[in-house]
Amino acid sequence: MNRIGVVLLTIFVLAMLLGTSGCVLGQTLAMNPNNSGLAATDLIVDEFFIGVLEDFQSFVPENPDETIMDVSVRQFSEGLHNKPSVSNIYTAKTGPTSYMVVFDYADLNRFMLDMNNNEQQSLLKVSKSGTRTTFSIHLDLKTYPQLTKLIPFLNDPNFETFGPLYNEGMSEADYLDMISYILGEDGPPSIEASTISLLLTVPKPLISVKGGTMLGDKTARLEIPLIDFLLLAKPITFSATW
C-alpha cells in the first residue's frame, strides 16, 4: 500500500470514529441522576470519501458483503463489549452510508476511564459541588495526547501529520491547501461541511451552559466544525451545569 493510500484510509477511519472528514456525526448523551445513562451515535459519511476509497482496490475488505465502513463500525462496537461500564450495545446500518451505535453506560466517569485504559483523563468529566452537577469537555493541544489514548488510531504515524500537534500554528487556508493537494479539490469543501455535534440531556433543569447552546430546560448542544478539531488553534470547551 503506498503512503497516499495509507493516509486516505487513516483519514477515513478517523471519520468513522469521530465524525470527521466528510462526515456528520451526532452524539447524544442522556444522563440519569447517578451519572449513568444512554449514548447514541448517528454517523453519515460523505459520498466523496466513499468514492475515494473505491479507487484503492487494496482497501477491499476480506468479506465482500462488508464495506470498509462496515468493518470499522463493527470493530468499534466489538471493542465496546470489552468495557465493563458498557451494556446493551446496539449497532445498525441505517442507510448506504449511515450508521447508529447505541449503548448504556453505568457511570460516565467510569466509562471514560475504561476507554482510557484506566488512566486518569481531563477531556470529559462529570463533577459535583453540593447539589449541582457539571458536565465538562476541554480539548486543546495539551489534552489532545489524552484523546490519542482514548482512540489510539489518532496516534498512528500516518495520521499524525494531519493532526493538530503536527500542524500547530498552521492557518486554515494552508491546511485546506494541503488537503486539496492530497485528496483533490473536493476535499476541502467536504471538510468544511463536516461537523461534530453533541446533544446532552440532563435529569434536572439546566442552570448554565458555556461553549454551547441551551435548547430547552434540560437539553444543550455543542457543535464543532471539523476544521476546528483538526487544527485546535483554540481550545474546544463546553460545560453544562444543573
Side-chain angles (χ1 to χ4, degrees):
M1 183 184 302
N2 59 44
R3 177 169 175 76
I4 295 300
V6 172
V7 167
L8 289 171
L9 178 61
T10 303
I11 292 176
F12 181 78
V13 175
L14 178 64
M16 301 290 299
L17 297 179
L18 294 180
T20 58
S21 305
C23 299
V24 176
L25 178 141
Q27 177 68 57
T28 298
L29 289 176
M31 297 195 63
N32 298 320
N34 64 352
N35 291 346
S36 67
L38 178 143
T41 302
D42 291 299
L43 175 65
I44 303 173
V45 180
D46 194 303
E47 292 282 356
F48 164 72
F49 283 90
I50 295 175
V52 168
L53 285 180
E54 289 176 348
D55 290 337
F56 291 87
Q57 295 300 316
S58 58
F59 293 167
V60 175
E62 293 182 5
N63 183 347
D65 295 328
E66 285 188 313
T67 67
I68 295 173
M69 193 187 319
D70 294 339
V71 173
S72 297
V73 172
R74 175 172 55 77
Q75 290 178 345
F76 178 74
S77 177
E78 290 172 352
L80 289 176
H81 283 84
N82 298 322
K83 308 303 180 185
S85 60
V86 177
S87 62
N88 300 323
I89 302 165
Y90 171 77
T91 303
K93 187 172 183 178
T94 57
T97 64
S98 58
Y99 298 80
M100 174 182 289
V101 179
V102 181
F103 60 89
D104 293 329
Y105 53 87
D107 179 273
L108 192 54
N109 287 330
R110 180 68 251 178
F111 169 72
M112 293 300 294
L113 280 173
D114 287 347
M115 296 298 287
N116 199 40
N117 298 322
N118 290 316
E119 294 182 8
Q120 294 293 328
Q121 53 79 42
S122 55
L123 288 171
L124 187 157
K125 287 189 174 182
V126 179
S127 57
K128 290 184 179 294
S129 178
T131 60
R132 295 187 175 186
T133 301
T134 297
F135 170 99
S136 61
I137 294 173
H138 185 93
L139 176 62
D140 59 14
L141 292 172
K142 291 183 179 180
T143 59
Y144 182 82
Q146 297 177 21
L147 184 61
T148 66
K149 292 181 180 179
L150 289 170
I151 307 175
F153 196 85
L154 293 176
N155 211 29
D156 187 285
N158 294 306
F159 175 77
E160 284 183 325
T161 56
F162 292 87
L165 297 182
Y166 190 90
N167 295 291
E168 182 177 357
M170 179 180 287
S171 70
E172 180 176 331
D174 288 343
Y175 187 90
L176 293 176
D177 282 345
M178 177 181 70
I179 294 299
S180 180
Y181 174 77
I182 295 172
L183 298 182
E185 61 183 20
D186 289 335
S190 292
I191 287 179
E192 291 178 309
S194 299
T195 60
I196 306 167
S197 67
L198 169 68
L199 186 68
L200 176 68
T201 301
V202 300
K204 295 169 57 178
L206 288 160
I207 298 171
S208 67
V209 174
K210 298 179 181 179
T213 305
M214 188 183 298
L215 300 181
D217 287 347
K218 299 180 181 180
T219 306
R221 181 177 66 194
L222 167 66
E223 190 159 337
I224 308 167
L226 168 61
I227 191 66
D228 289 356
F229 170 80
L230 292 173
L231 292 177
L232 283 182
K234 58 182 180 180
I236 295 172
T237 61
F238 172 79
S239 68
T241 300
W242 62 93

